[in-house]
Structure formats: structure tokens, C-alpha cells
């Protein structure tokens, strides 16, 4: 914008400059050639006409330039330019042209971002409605069947109620995940950072989740490390991270073991969860942290998954100033890790 200002202020200064130069010239000539009164009046008339023509010429030029600028602005307003290269103001207005071009590019960028956000929002709403509909329809189905008479059928009544109950649990989990995500994304998640004993912390979580692993005949082990190690973070939120990662490792592993541990570095502790499961292909690794993204939608949903787990994990880890990393080989297993400050 500073160039614009320069441009207009120089235009405004031209007329007084012409008048000043003319006055100086007349005074100079009248002294040099010792003008008589008539000669002086003739000189004044001559310069007045010259100035008038000059101002007329400059005015016309400026007017043409302003019309060009106005046309360019009008075209930007009506979105008629496809690219910045189409904006042309001529050599005299090169600086202004560059300024308008960069303004145009910035605006285009903003518009692209807004369109992308709008698309993400629409997709998100579509996903949410779809995910809500699944358990609600299932619950409705079981209840209707029970009301239609199945309630008296000893063979199915209890299992239908259990299934409906499982879907209400899924629904509740989904709503909690959504509330979590929206709080994190709107910056309302309050974090409480403290040093905590990471060995005790992980042991507790593993103890809680071991029965889940045992159901699939998987081992769930804590790889040994310094018992006194203290790391810095929000224990409550990190608990959510570890539960998500360990539950995933169990969910997507059929044989072998899930290992959890910490590798101590000079300034950080690298917390990891490894499994010997199905692994994730290169193309999917980049997408698993997106909300609702699941490599195998049906398989994940069957297990009560909505694809929000890793999106939450990513948010929490990033709120710790860290980054979640994945190393995975299809068919061999995966390792998820992140660093915490010592
Ligand atoms: N340890 C893992 N091994 C193989 N694939 C994994 C692993 N962890 C995650 N994935 C893949 O990444 C996808 C996204 O994981 P995420 O935790 O976000 O969702 P989910 O487990 O399907 O559902 P949710 O966690 O919401 O219950 C999963 O559906 C799965 O395809
Ligand atoms: Mg998960």
C-alpha cells in the first residue's frame, strides 16, 4: 500500500511544482533579459498557456491510468482474472502493478483456504451424521424387534438387549470423542502440565488393558526402563493418548505382542507403542490422523471404532509441543511414538 500512497502524493505535487518552476523561470528571464512590462506580461501569458497545456496533458495521462486501474479493480471484484499475469498496468505503473498482483494472489489464497475449510466442514458434518445414524438405527432395530414379540423369545431377548447396550456405549464414546475434538480445535482444552513418574503411569494403564489383550491371546508388555524417570506433560490427557494407541495396537494385531516403553534421550523420553499387527501401507500412514479416516472402515466399525482416536491423539501430542511419529510395515507391525520433555 505504501507504493499506492507514493503514487498519489506525487500526482498531487505535480501542479504546485509546475507553478513554482514557471514562476522561477519568469523571474529569472525578466532579470536576465531585463524585461519591459509588456515583455513580462507576454512571458506570463506564454508560460500560463504552456502550463495549461502541460497540466491538460498530464491530467489526461493520469485519467487514462486511473481508468486502467479502475478496470483492473473491477475485474478483480468480478473474479474475471484467472491468473496474476493477466493484470497489466504498463511500465509507468510497474510498482503499482506488482502491488495489485500480490494483493490478488493473497486474496486468491484466502478464497482457496475458505473453500477448503468449507469442504472440510461439510465432509465433517456428513461423517458425523453418518456415524451417529449407524448406532441409532441399530438400537432402533433391536428395540422394534423386541417390541414386536422377540422380548418373549428366551433365545434372543437377552442378546438383543446386550447388542443394543453395546451400541449405546459406542454412541456415547462417539459423542465424547466429538466433544473432545471440538474442544481441542477451538482451543478450549485446558492442559495441566506437571512432572510425573512415567513408569508407574504406564504400568497402571497396561494393567487396565491387559485383559483386552488376553482376550485375543496377545501379550501386552512394558519394556523395562529407568523406574524413576520423570517426564513433563498432562498426565490425564496422555492417559487418553496411551489408551488410544494401545487399544489400536491390540485391535489391529492378531498374533504376537504389544510392547510399550520409553527410550531415554538426553533431553526427552521417547514414549512408544509397538505391535506385530497388520501394519499400515505408505499411502494410508499419511491419512490415519484425519478425523474419521479408517483403513478398513467396516472392520474398524465392527470393533466400535469411529476413526477419531488418532485425530485426538495427534491434537494432544501437539499440545505438548511434540509430534506423533509412525513407522509401519504392512503385514509386519507398527510403532507409534512421541517425545516428552525430561
Ligand atoms: N496399530 C495399528 N495397526 C494398524 N492399523 C492401525 C493402527 N492404529 C491405527 N490404525 C489404522 O488407523 C485408523 C485410524 O485409527 P483411529 O484410532 O483414529 O480409529 P479407529 O481405531 O478405527 O477408531 P477409534 O479409535 O475412533 O475407536 C484405523 O481405523 C486403522 O485402520
Ligand atoms: Mg483407535
Amino acid at each position: 500500500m505504501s507504493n499506492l500512497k507514493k503514487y498519489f502524493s506525487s500526482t498531487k505535487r505535480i501542479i504546485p511544482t509546475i507553478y513554482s518552476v514557471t514562476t522561477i523561470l519568469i523571474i529569472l528571464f525578466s532579470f536576465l533579459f531585463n524585461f519591459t512590462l509588456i515583455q513580462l506580461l507576454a512571458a506570463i501569458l506564454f508560460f500560463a498557456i504552456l502550463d495549461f497545456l502541460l497540466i491538460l496533458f498530464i491530467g489526461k495521462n493520469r485519467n487514462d491510468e486511473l481508468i486502467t486501474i479502475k478496470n483492473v479493480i473491477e475485474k478483480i471484484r468480478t473474479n474475471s482474472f484467472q491468473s496474476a499475469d493477466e493484470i497489466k498496468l504498463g511500465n509507468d505503473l510497474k510498482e503499482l502493478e506488482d502491488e495489485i498482483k500480490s494483493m490478488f494472489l493473497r486474496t486468491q489464497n484466502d478464497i482457496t483456504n475458505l473453500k477448503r475449510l468449507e469442504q472440510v466442514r461439510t465432509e465433517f458434518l456428513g461423517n458425523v451424521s453418518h456415524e451417529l445414524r449407524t448406532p441409532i438405527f441399530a438400537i432402533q432395530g433391536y428395540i422394534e424387534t423386541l417390541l414386536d414379540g422377540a422380548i418373549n423369545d428366551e433365545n434372543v431377548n437377552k442378546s438383543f438387549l446386550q447388542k443394543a447396550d453395546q451400541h449405546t456405549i459406542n454412541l456415547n464414546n462417539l459423542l465424547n470423542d466429538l466433544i473432545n475434538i471440538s474442544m481441542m480445535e477451538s482451543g478450549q482444552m485446558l492442559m495441566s502440565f506437571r512432572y510425573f513418574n512415567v513408569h508407574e503411569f504406564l504400568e497402571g494403564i497396561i494393567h487396565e488393558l491387559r485383559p483386552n489383550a488376553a482376550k485375543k491371546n496377545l501379550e501386552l508388555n512394558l519394556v523395562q526402563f529407568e523406574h524413576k524417570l520423570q517426564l513433563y506433560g498432562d498426565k490425564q490427557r496422555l492417559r487418553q493418548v496411551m489408551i488410544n494407541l494401545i487399544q489400536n495396537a491390540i485391535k489391529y494385531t492378531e498374533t504376537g505382542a504389544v510392547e510399550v516403553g520409553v527410550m531415554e534421550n538426553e533431553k526427552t523420553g521417547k514414549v512408544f507403542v509397538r505391535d506385530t499387527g497388520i501394519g499400515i501401507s505408505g499411502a494410508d500412514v499419511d491419512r490415519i490422523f484425519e478425523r474419521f479416516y479408517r483403513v478398513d472402515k467396516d472392520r474398524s466399525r465392527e470393533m466400535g471404532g469411529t476413526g477419531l482416536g488418532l485425530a485426538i491423539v495427534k491434537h494432544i501430542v501437539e499440545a505438548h509441543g511434540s509430534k506423533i511419529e509412525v513407522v509401519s510395515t504392512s503385514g509386519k507391525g507398527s510403532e507409534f511414538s512421541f517425545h516428552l520433555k525430561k
Side-chain angles (χ1 to χ4, degrees):
M1 277 327 259
S2 63
N3 288 332
L4 265 180
K5 262 196 217 148
K6 242 196 290 175
Y7 173 76
F8 284 110
S9 61
S10 70
T11 310
K12 269 197 267 167
R13 261 189 269 123
I14 283 179
I15 295 173
T17 312
I18 290 175
Y19 283 139
S20 316
V21 172
T22 310
T23 316
I24 292 167
L25 281 176
I26 292 172
I27 295 170
L28 204 68
F29 285 158
S30 63
F31 274 112
L32 273 179
F33 303 110
N34 214 356
F35 278 172
T36 63
L37 186 63
I38 301 283
Q39 282 172 325
L40 185 66
L41 286 175
I44 290 173
L45 191 68
F46 171 77
F47 278 112
I49 293 169
L50 196 69
D51 283 0
F52 177 72
L53 292 175
L54 203 61
I55 289 167
L56 212 65
F57 174 75
I58 293 171
K60 189 183 168 319
N61 257 0
R62 285 288 182 259
N63 204 32
D64 289 350
E65 285 169 357
L66 283 176
I67 289 171
T68 317
I69 295 169
K70 187 172 153 270
N71 286 342
V72 164
I73 291 172
E74 183 70 21
K75 279 189 171 172
I76 292 177
R77 197 175 60 77
T78 53
N79 259 339
S80 309
F81 287 126
Q82 301 301 320
S83 84
D85 294 337
E86 292 173 36
I87 299 174
K88 295 243 167 354
L89 291 181
N91 277 346
D92 290 345
L93 299 174
K94 195 85 193 85
E95 273 186 46
L96 185 65
E97 183 184 298
D98 290 344
E99 200 72 46
I100 292 180
K101 273 183 183 169
S102 71
M103 251 162 60
F104 172 80
L105 287 174
R106 226 175 301 141
T107 316
Q108 281 232 316
N109 206 11
D110 288 352
I111 293 172
T112 318
N113 278 343
L114 282 176
K115 279 189 185 154
R116 201 178 45 80
L117 277 179
E118 180 61 29
Q119 197 196 339
V120 169
R121 201 180 70 99
T122 315
E123 261 173 36
F124 182 66
L125 279 179
N127 279 327
V128 170
S129 345
H130 181 78
E131 294 303 329
L132 284 175
R133 217 180 293 136
T134 314
I136 290 173
F137 276 7
I139 295 165
Q140 237 175 1
Y142 288 121
I143 292 178
E144 272 172 19
T145 321
L146 285 166
L147 287 176
D148 284 348
I151 189 104
N152 298 318
D153 183 345
E154 298 266 310
N155 294 322
V156 292
N157 56 8
K158 195 158 176 222
S159 85
F160 280 8
L161 280 173
Q162 275 165 345
K163 281 178 182 155
D165 184 43
Q166 185 54 50
H167 281 290
T168 61
I169 294 172
N170 293 349
L171 194 58
N172 190 39
N173 289 343
L174 170 62
L175 288 176
N176 283 336
D177 283 353
L178 283 171
I179 291 167
N180 262 322
I181 288 222
S182 87
M183 275 178 60
M184 285 172 202
E185 293 188 352
S186 60
Q188 287 175 43
M189 183 178 58
L190 294 176
M191 307 283 290
S192 157
F193 294 102
R194 283 204 180 88
Y195 278 100
F196 62 94
N197 181 297
V198 67
H199 197 273
E200 272 171 26
F201 167 74
L202 291 179
E203 243 181 1
I205 294 171
I206 285 184
H207 183 72
E208 249 176 74
L209 294 178
R210 195 160 275 137
N212 295 18
K215 270 190 212 156
K216 289 183 77 180
N217 278 327
L218 295 174
E219 277 185 45
L220 173 57
N221 299 322
L222 182 63
V223 178
Q224 283 313 310
F225 59 93
E226 169 57 53
H227 281 218
K228 289 194 185 123
L229 179 65
Q230 301 262 332
L231 292 178
Y232 190 68
D234 182 326
K235 216 169 138 183
Q236 210 47 39
R237 298 287 172 195
L238 289 171
R239 200 182 128 77
Q240 224 177 327
V241 168
M242 295 313 294
I243 289 181
N244 261 306
L245 292 178
I246 299 171
Q247 274 180 343
N248 277 353
I250 296 172
K251 247 202 273 189
Y252 304 106
T253 302
E254 294 314 321
T255 51
V258 174
E259 290 183 335
V260 181
V262 179
M263 278 202 344
E264 224 180 308
N265 298 320
E266 198 191 331
K267 291 187 176 155
T268 62
K270 177 180 158 188
V271 184
F272 64 83
V273 176
R274 336 185 157 106
D275 63 58
T276 51
I278 58 173
I280 308 155
S281 75
D284 289 316
V285 163
D286 296 335
R287 303 206 52 194
I288 51 173
F289 296 99
E290 288 173 22
R291 298 175 301 197
F292 294 111
Y293 189 82
R294 285 158 294 190
V295 176
D296 181 346
K297 263 196 167 22
D298 296 334
R299 179 190 168 123
S300 166
R301 191 180 294 122
E302 239 171 61
M303 293 189 265
T306 51
L308 290 174
L310 286 179
I312 295 173
V313 164
K314 183 170 182 264
H315 271 297
I316 298 176
V317 170
E318 285 177 0
H320 282 77
S322 184
K323 195 172 168 281
I324 180 105
E325 276 156 32
V326 197
V327 183
S328 186
T329 317
S330 257
K332 289 217 163 140
S334 318
E335 179 182 292
F336 287 75
S337 64
F338 56 94
H339 288 259
L340 289 179
K341 212 175 90 183
K342 266 208 316 201

